[in-house]
Amino acid sequence: MKGKIEVFKVIAVFLILITIFGGLGCVDNQAEGESAGTIENDSGNPSSGSGEVLTIFHAGSLSVPFEELEAEFEAQHPGVDVQREAAGSAQSVRKITELGKQADVLASADYVLIPSLMMPEYADWYAAFARNQIVIAYTNESMYSDEINANNWYEVLRRPGVTYGFSNPNDDPCGYRTQMVTQLAEFYYDNSTIYDDLILNKTGMTATTEENGTVLVHVPASEALSPDTSKIMLRSMEVELSSALETGEIDYFYIYRSVAVQHGFEYVELPPEIDLGSIEYADNYSKVQVEMANGEVVTGSPIVYGVTIPKNAKNPELATEFVKLLLDEPGQQIFIENGQPPIVPAISEGKDNMPEELQALVE
């Protein structure tokens, strides 16, 4: 598994370098618990329930732009009811691959989950369509909000009384990316205790250093994560922590920049060397790997979102129309307005297997 993920990482980075990133700048779960996800349908379409249904499984961090895509799609397709189910990306994929659920569209906050967990049995192509970066979100009511910045954020999180949150690495890419960012901070700030103080000593996670200097973070089964709840709030999806920040239950949390922008949060923009948002630092990001409880190993890399139409889709034609909207100019504009730069054109794997009308929108 580790080798397969590495191959796709190298391919994607190479393709992105030669096609798009030269002209782009850097710019995704309420307690989901044991539920299958959050079903979202906010369009108010009067035909909902009486016509065709388009089912979409997507990362929690895509909720806001996908809500707007839903409204636009239903306006263009009267009688179609778009039903979105938001969850951690790994959890969304497992609904299809392990639970046998059907979805017409699957959109992940980490494109690698598609080739590594779905292809070739459950999908035969994907398109990488958007990027993001990790930030530390807060409000003006957060403790030390008038002091925190890119140079001292880890010191502020250490302080007595300060609480912070992140999502479960077993369920959500933002969770394992939190581990990467915090571990990379040790290298960047030349401080070997940052990860230990903020995560290692306050959860069931462990870490080892390989002979080549790469740090491998080991994530135990979810029930063994055992966070120190006086300091850390752990949830299945990163978006679930938004309400906790708004109500003052926590002071800070690790989140995608786009989600912070969409919720109007203040945020610390981390150095590009550690925020997983810059292709220029891809080699630096790869110094950290995270092994989930199921044995899957993910290597640090720039954050790239992916979309596919699963092989078991009930409405592949409608799904094609939705993905076309996502990848074309209207979808690109929605993502730009929500603080999440699109990849233009989207980068594909398995292009020959894509519906013909989508092939013109990808490299």
Side-chain angles (χ1 to χ4, degrees), residues 198-221:
L198 297 183
I199 297 178
L200 200 65
N201 297 336
K202 293 178 172 60
T203 68
M205 276 176 272
T206 58
T208 57
T209 302
E210 307 295 299
E211 290 184 4
N212 62 1
T214 298
V215 175
L216 178 62
V217 174
H218 305 272
V219 182

Side-chain angles (χ1 to χ4, degrees), residues 45-359:
N45 189 326
S47 66
S48 294
S50 60
E52 294 182 279
V53 173
L54 182 70
T55 302
I56 301 175
F57 292 174
H58 65 79
S61 55
L62 290 171
S63 292
V64 172
F66 268 45
E67 178 182 343
E68 296 181 25
L69 286 168
E70 173 192 340
E72 178 67 22
F73 188 82
E74 290 187 345
Q76 295 178 9
H77 298 79
V80 175
D81 176 20
V82 176
Q83 295 187 358
R84 297 179 292 108
E85 194 167 307
S89 295
Q91 197 171 30
S92 294
V93 170
R94 287 196 293 266
K95 291 174 187 175
I96 297 170
T97 62
E98 297 179 11
L99 302 180
K101 293 190 174 184
Q102 290 182 290
D104 299 304
V105 177
L106 181 285
S108 168
D110 188 347
Y111 82 95
V112 170
L113 296 178
I114 299 174
S116 65
L117 300 181
M118 296 185 71
M119 296 172 68
E121 184 176 356
Y122 302 96
D124 53 14
W125 63 268
Y126 70 85
F129 67 92
R131 297 180 293 119
N132 227 319
Q133 65 197 76
I134 299 293
V135 301
I136 308 296
Y138 63 97
T139 71
N140 290 329
E141 302 302 315
S142 300
M143 292 183 68
Y144 308 110
S145 62
D146 59 339
E147 298 182 32
I148 194 167
N149 57 49
N151 295 318
N152 69 3
W153 61 272
Y154 59 93
E155 295 176 349
V156 169
L157 296 189
R158 282 171 169 159
R159 292 179 183 176
V162 174
T163 55
Y164 51 93
F166 54 87
S167 57
N168 185 340
N170 289 319
D171 293 339
D172 186 44
C174 195
Y176 56 70
R177 286 166 172 157
T178 293
Q179 314 310 307
M180 295 170 179
V181 167
T182 311
Q183 183 62 63
L184 287 168
E186 292 197 348
F187 301 136
Y188 180 78
Y189 298 102
D190 192 23
N191 186 323
S192 63
T193 65
I194 293 176
Y195 187 75
D196 299 52
D197 291 345
L198 297 183
I199 297 178
L200 200 65
N201 297 336
K202 293 178 172 60
T203 68
M205 276 176 272
T206 58
T208 57
T209 302
E210 307 295 299
E211 290 184 4
N212 62 1
T214 298
V215 175
L216 178 62
V217 174
H218 305 272
V219 182
S222 296
E223 59 271 19
L225 280 168
S226 305
D228 176 357
T229 55
S230 69
K231 193 71 176 175
I232 295 175
M233 178 178 285
L234 186 70
R235 293 292 183 265
S236 181
M237 297 186 294
E238 85 288 339
V239 179
E240 297 180 82
L241 298 163
S242 296
S243 60
L245 181 63
E246 292 169 340
T247 59
E249 293 179 76
I250 55 175
D251 296 298
Y252 301 92
F253 75 111
Y254 293 78
I255 189 64
Y256 295 114
R257 181 184 185 274
S258 64
V259 177
V261 170
Q262 292 156 16
H263 285 79
F265 294 140
E266 302 292 330
Y267 59 90
V268 177
E269 194 155 0
L270 302 172
E273 290 88 345
I274 70 174
D275 72 356
L276 305 182
S278 301
I279 191 67
E280 293 84 356
Y281 294 103
D283 287 343
N284 192 58
Y285 303 155
S286 69
K287 294 177 181 178
V288 181
Q289 297 179 314
V290 179
E291 181 181 28
M292 267 66 75
N294 65 1
E296 179 188 359
V297 177
V298 180
T299 299
S301 66
I303 297 169
V304 177
Y305 285 62
V307 65
T308 191
I309 298 174
K311 289 183 176 182
N312 69 353
K314 289 184 179 180
N315 290 304
E317 295 82 9
L318 279 177
T320 298
E321 290 297 313
F322 185 89
V323 175
K324 182 178 180 181
L325 174 65
L326 168 67
L327 300 182
D328 213 345
E329 187 173 347
Q332 295 167 11
Q333 190 59 38
I334 285 173
F335 274 80
I336 290 171
E337 292 172 355
N338 282 285
Q340 189 169 2
I343 294 173
V344 183
I347 304 299
S348 66
E349 175 69 21
K351 181 176 179 179
D352 292 343
N353 297 319
M354 297 179 72
E356 186 174 349
E357 50 267 61
L358 298 181
Q359 294 184 20

